[in-house]
Amino acid sequence: MKRFWTVIRLSLELLLHPVDRLFVPSHTLPLILPKKSIITIHDVAFARLKEAYDGFQYRILMSSTKRAVKKAWRIIVPSEATKAILWKSSDAMKRKSW
């Protein structure tokens, strides 16, 4: 359950105490989030090295990253390589990345 802290517990906190902006230094956004949510996607190795992850891990990483790219107001990426991979897979990324 530790794995879903951001999704579940942070969502509850934001429901009880809304904020104008939220920075999440991870690829996973809570279910309840402000319009101006900023995330950091550090790496997308799972997309290229699927065999290195079990099925559950891969599905969670893929779905949470896709959702984050779709829902985030801004996305921070630490490298041009990560940005390029995300750009290829998402039009939303082109409008939101830093």
Side-chain angles (χ1 to χ4, degrees), residues 1 6 23 25 33 46 50 65 74 96:
M1 203 52 143
T6 302
F23 170 66
L33 62 141
F46 64 88
K50 185 177 179 180
T65 302
R74 293 285 187 260
K96 300 177 183 186

Side-chain angles (χ1 to χ4, degrees), residues 40-45 75-87 93 97-98:
T40 302
I41 298 178
H42 296 276
D43 187 20
V44 287
I75 301 165
I76 299 169
V77 292
S79 73
E80 290 298 320
T82 299
K83 184 177 179 179
I85 292 167
L86 289 168
W87 272 49
M93 187 66 194
S97 63
W98 290 358

Side-chain angles (χ1 to χ4, degrees), residues 37-69:
S37 295
I38 303 164
I39 59 159
T40 302
I41 298 178
H42 296 276
D43 187 20
V44 287
F46 64 88
R48 294 198 176 221
L49 301 171
K50 185 177 179 180
E51 66 280 355
Y53 300 84
D54 69 37
F56 178 74
Q57 286 177 319
Y58 178 79
R59 285 191 304 276
I60 290 295
L61 287 167
M62 186 61 82
S63 64
S64 61
T65 302
K66 282 182 178 181
R67 181 180 175 275
V69 168

Side-chain angles (χ1 to χ4, degrees), residues 3-33:
R3 191 178 298 251
F4 298 106
W5 183 91
T6 302
V7 175
I8 298 168
R9 182 62 181 100
L10 186 53
S11 293
L12 177 61
E13 188 65 27
L14 291 168
L15 187 63
L16 298 173
H17 304 100
V19 296
D20 294 330
R21 292 178 188 208
L22 174 68
F23 170 66
V24 179
S26 169
H27 70 281
T28 305
L29 285 172
L31 296 174
I32 307 294
L33 62 141

